[in-house]
């Protein structure tokens, strides 16, 4: 059975360009040379909130959590589309070099073959001073092919976790995502709720909850 793994890239996507003798350079996209500005142009298929599967379920679940308002607002900012967070529906052909790098990386780190890795999403964080902190979430066909809304919500939550804790380990993010999905699928289970909240607050919301308590 094929093992599908969520792969996320946040705050580490970079397009390297180096001047040689003050010369100008660009990038190769699908084998064709383009300028940096063209290569970084956003896809045109930008999604509204109602067009993102799993988003409503995730947002409603966050609203229902017993969290301080400040912490809850922080989580929702990391999830909801806004002026600094956009979602795009893209094909498997966009950003091929980044995709190849990530598939190879996680295939190696997780000890599975490349054909066992399913890429659901990539998140690009802008570091240019004029747009610093803006995030673009690219959702691939595998994301839309997921059978359960809870799985799609878990993918979106996974994306948001990197914004809440940019230095989190992959294991921390995967663990928290899995606990959230279990809670989403068992909303009346006290055990599922307790396990998720305990881990989430300890590993991703410690600062926000401390501020709320002062």
């Amino acid at each position: 059975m094929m093992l599908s793994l969520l792969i996320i890239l946040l705050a580490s996507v970079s397009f390297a360009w180096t001047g040689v003798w003050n010369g100008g350079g660009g990038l190769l996209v699908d084998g064709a040379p383009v300028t940096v500005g063209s290569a970084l142009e956003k896809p045109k298929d930008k999604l509204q909130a109602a067009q993102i599967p799993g988003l409503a379920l995730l947002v409603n679940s966050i609203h229902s959590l017993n969290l301080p308002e400040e912490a809850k607002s922080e989580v929702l900012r990391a999830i909801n589309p806004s002026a600094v967070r956009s979602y795009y529906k893209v094909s498997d052909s966009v950003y091929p070099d980044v995709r190849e790098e990530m598939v190879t990386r996680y295939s190696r780190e997780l000890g599975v073959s490349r054909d066992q890795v399913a890429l659901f999403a990539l998140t690009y964080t802008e570091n240019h001073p004029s747009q610093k902190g803006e995030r673009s979430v690219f959702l691939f066909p595998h994301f839309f092919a997921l059978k359960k809304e809870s799985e799609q919500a878990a993918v979106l939550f996974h994306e948001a976790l990197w914004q809440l804790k940019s230095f989190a380990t992959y294991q921390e993010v995967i663990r928290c995502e899995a606990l959230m999905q279990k809670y989403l699928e068992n909303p009346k289970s006290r055990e599922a709720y307790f396990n998720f909240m305990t881990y989430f607050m300890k590993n991703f919301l410690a600062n926000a909850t401390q501020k709320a308590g002062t």
Side-chain angles (χ1 to χ4, degrees), residues 195-210:
N195 289 341
F196 164 66
M197 285 290 286
T198 301
Y199 193 88
F200 184 41
M201 293 180 69
K202 177 182 178 181
N203 293 281
F204 291 89
L205 291 181
N207 290 337
T209 52
Q210 286 174 3

Side-chain angles (χ1 to χ4, degrees), residues 66-211:
N66 184 21
L67 287 172
E69 286 304 313
E70 182 177 348
K72 190 176 295 185
S73 296
E74 181 181 351
V75 178
L76 290 171
R77 282 195 299 270
I79 295 170
N80 279 320
S82 67
V84 293
R85 187 175 185 82
S86 302
Y87 289 84
Y88 298 89
K89 182 179 182 179
V90 298
S91 71
D92 285 329
S93 63
V94 301
Y95 307 131
D97 293 341
V98 178
R99 287 171 52 82
E100 285 298 306
E101 178 184 345
M102 293 307 297
V103 170
T104 299
R105 173 183 170 185
Y106 284 96
S107 172
R108 179 178 63 251
E109 290 188 359
L110 297 171
V112 298
S113 63
R114 286 173 52 85
D115 62 4
Q116 288 181 293
V117 177
L119 190 64
F120 296 142
L122 290 175
T123 297
Y124 175 73
T125 301
E126 180 61 66
N127 287 319
H128 189 278
S130 65
Q131 298 173 300
K132 190 173 181 62
E134 292 187 12
R135 291 174 171 84
S136 298
V137 183
F138 304 112
L139 301 174
F140 292 99
H142 279 304
F143 170 80
F144 295 93
L146 289 168
K147 301 298 184 183
K148 295 189 287 186
E149 187 181 11
S150 59
E151 291 179 320
Q152 293 167 322
V155 171
L156 300 177
F157 185 64
H158 183 127
E159 299 280 347
L161 288 173
W162 293 108
Q163 181 171 335
L164 294 171
K165 185 180 178 180
S166 60
F167 56 90
T169 66
Y170 185 73
Q171 290 73 22
E172 285 177 330
V173 172
I174 286 294
R175 175 62 175 163
C176 196
E177 173 205 339
L179 290 170
M180 167 56 106
Q181 182 176 337
K182 188 169 184 179
Y183 167 62
L184 289 172
E185 295 174 353
N186 302 275
K188 295 183 179 180
S189 169
R190 292 184 178 180
E191 180 181 4
Y193 178 83
F194 176 81
N195 289 341
F196 164 66
M197 285 290 286
T198 301
Y199 193 88
F200 184 41
M201 293 180 69
K202 177 182 178 181
N203 293 281
F204 291 89
L205 291 181
N207 290 337
T209 52
Q210 286 174 3
K211 290 179 182 177

